[in-house]
Amino acid sequence: MTVSKIKLTMIGGFCLLVAFFCARDIIAKSGWPQVPAEITAVTVECLMESTQHRIVYKTVSSASIPCELVEAFKSVHADKEWTVKQKFTGTLRVGAGADAVEATMDLNKSGGREPQVGDKLVVVQNPAKATQVERAGMTGTRVM
């Protein structure tokens, strides 16, 4: 076998493994009911990352801090160039009436708009554990 055939075989095996886990995740969550949810609180956190390339290796530094401290953090660590990404975590009221529960979930910007308190969305809820929720249509993405 040549080196290129070995590489192709390894890439194909990896793709099959990812497909297997995605399919398993989708099948496991196919029975989860869709439930309306409302965002009751949003927490914003900034993920800082700096990558420095050396001759033989690279160094990756990362930190997760409140967004209001980003400029102070950059000034203290001015020897590195930092990239900043915002992470939104939401507290949700899932369901309606007496059956409603509170759950947390990572939220994404929709377009250029940040998630806000009062936004309504549809989630899928684990019937065995009511606080375990994921966005509807997002099953299989955690494997990716």
Side-chain angles (χ1 to χ4, degrees), residues 9-127:
T9 303
M10 289 177 63
I11 291 170
F14 178 74
C15 290
L16 284 173
L17 189 64
V18 168
F20 169 76
F21 282 111
C22 285
R24 194 176 109 201
D25 191 47
I26 290 168
I27 290 169
K29 293 183 180 146
S30 65
W32 290 16
Q34 289 191 353
V35 182
E38 181 178 351
I39 299 174
T40 58
V42 177
T43 305
V44 183
E45 197 172 34
C46 284
L47 305 174
M48 310 285 295
E49 187 171 288
S50 174
T51 304
Q52 294 180 322
H53 295 278
R54 306 285 186 216
I55 294 172
V56 181
Y57 64 95
K58 74 177 181 179
T59 304
V60 178
S61 304
S62 60
S64 179
I65 62 172
C67 289
E68 56 270 5
L69 300 176
V70 167
E71 292 307 317
F73 184 87
K74 283 183 175 181
S75 65
V76 170
H77 302 282
D79 58 321
K80 298 178 182 174
E81 188 174 319
W82 295 93
T83 57
V84 182
K85 293 181 185 173
Q86 289 182 325
K87 177 184 173 188
F88 300 94
T89 304
T91 303
L92 309 173
R93 181 180 173 164
V94 181
D99 294 335
V101 295
E102 189 174 278
T104 59
M105 182 175 77
D106 288 342
L107 303 171
N108 300 323
K109 282 187 177 182
S110 54
R113 185 176 173 279
E114 296 177 356
Q116 298 175 1
V117 173
D119 286 353
K120 301 205 184 310
L121 51 120
V122 177
V123 297
V124 290
Q125 183 180 39
N126 185 348

